[in-house]
């Protein structure tokens, strides 16, 4: 996400969990809020660090975080297993959390308490589960979109199929 605003002076304070407190002199608050919202971000405004004055208009569980990456990160067997699981049409089947998109899969990781264990039970490879575990740990994702046109993530195993 890129947001461009002009300020006379900017002061930045690093907080916990990767949060920043930013003081920008000469920036109209409404211009900043509009720029961030148009870029797809979320802006929380505080009068002092840690004290939110206005927050996101959605309840905490309504917003989901996700990543899209290439299907090159899964094996041929993973592709076959995910395809089969995403096409189950029974009540409470895996098609409720594993969705075929035509060029890949959308995986709702928050549908299960232990999604990696469920994927292991389905027979998904250790490499795919390791990828998902690292994305959950590093980025706190609840959605993963594996797509043929997705970007290959640096430093992650790929498979030529």
């Amino acid at each position: 996400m890129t947001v461009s605003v002009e300020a006379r002076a900017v002061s930045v304070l690093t907080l916990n969990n990767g949060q920043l407190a930013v003081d920008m002199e000469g920036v109209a608050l409404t211009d900043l809020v509009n720029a961030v919202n148009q870029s797809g971000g979320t802006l929380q405004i505080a009068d002092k660090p840690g004290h939110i004055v206005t927050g996101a208009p959605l309840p905490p569980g309504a917003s989901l975080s996700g990543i899209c990456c290439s299907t090159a990160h899964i094996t041929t067997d993973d592709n076959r297993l995910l395809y089969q699981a995403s096409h189950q049409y029974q009540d409470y089947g895996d098609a409720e959390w594993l969705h075929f998109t035509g060029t890949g899969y959308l995986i709702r990781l928050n549908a299960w308490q232990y999604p990696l264990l469920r994927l292991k039970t389905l027979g998904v490879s250790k490499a795919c589960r390791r990828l998902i575990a690292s994305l959950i740990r590093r980025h706190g994702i609840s959605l993963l979109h594996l797509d043929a046109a997705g970007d290959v993530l640096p430093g992650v195993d790929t498979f030529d199929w």
Side-chain angles (χ1 to χ4, degrees):
M1 174 178 74
T2 302
V3 177
S4 297
V5 293
E6 292 186 24
R8 286 191 292 272
V10 176
S11 299
V12 179
L13 174 67
T14 307
L15 304 174
N16 294 332
N17 299 323
Q19 295 179 345
L20 300 174
V22 181
D23 180 24
M24 294 187 289
E25 183 181 328
V27 175
L29 186 58
T30 55
D31 293 341
L32 178 62
V33 170
N34 289 338
V36 170
N37 290 340
Q38 289 173 357
S39 297
T42 301
L43 180 64
Q44 295 179 333
I45 304 165
D47 55 0
K48 60 184 176 185
H51 182 259
I52 297 173
V53 176
T54 60
L58 298 173
S63 178
L64 303 174
S65 62
I67 289 179
C68 179
C69 65
S70 175
T71 52
H73 294 300
I74 64 173
T75 66
T76 305
D77 288 340
D78 292 333
N79 183 56
R80 182 182 47 79
L81 290 167
L82 291 172
Y83 183 84
Q84 288 173 348
S86 66
H87 283 79
Q88 292 178 353
Y89 295 108
Q90 62 199 34
D91 288 340
Y92 306 110
D94 290 311
E96 293 182 355
W97 73 293
L98 301 171
H99 307 282
F100 180 66
T101 64
T103 56
Y105 306 94
L106 182 65
I107 303 174
R108 295 179 37 240
L109 298 165
N110 60 349
W112 288 92
Q113 186 173 3
Y114 302 106
L116 294 170
L117 184 59
R118 181 67 185 157
L119 290 169
K120 183 177 181 177
T121 303
L122 290 173
V124 172
S125 72
K126 190 172 191 173
C128 181
R129 295 191 324 266
R130 190 178 307 126
L131 164 70
I132 295 170
S134 68
L135 292 174
I136 291 171
R137 186 175 52 254
R138 290 182 190 158
H139 303 288
I141 65 168
S142 55
L143 292 172
L144 175 59
H145 185 193
L146 296 163
D147 191 88
D151 291 333
V152 173
L153 302 176
V156 179
D157 292 340
T158 58
F159 302 91
D160 189 22
W161 51 278

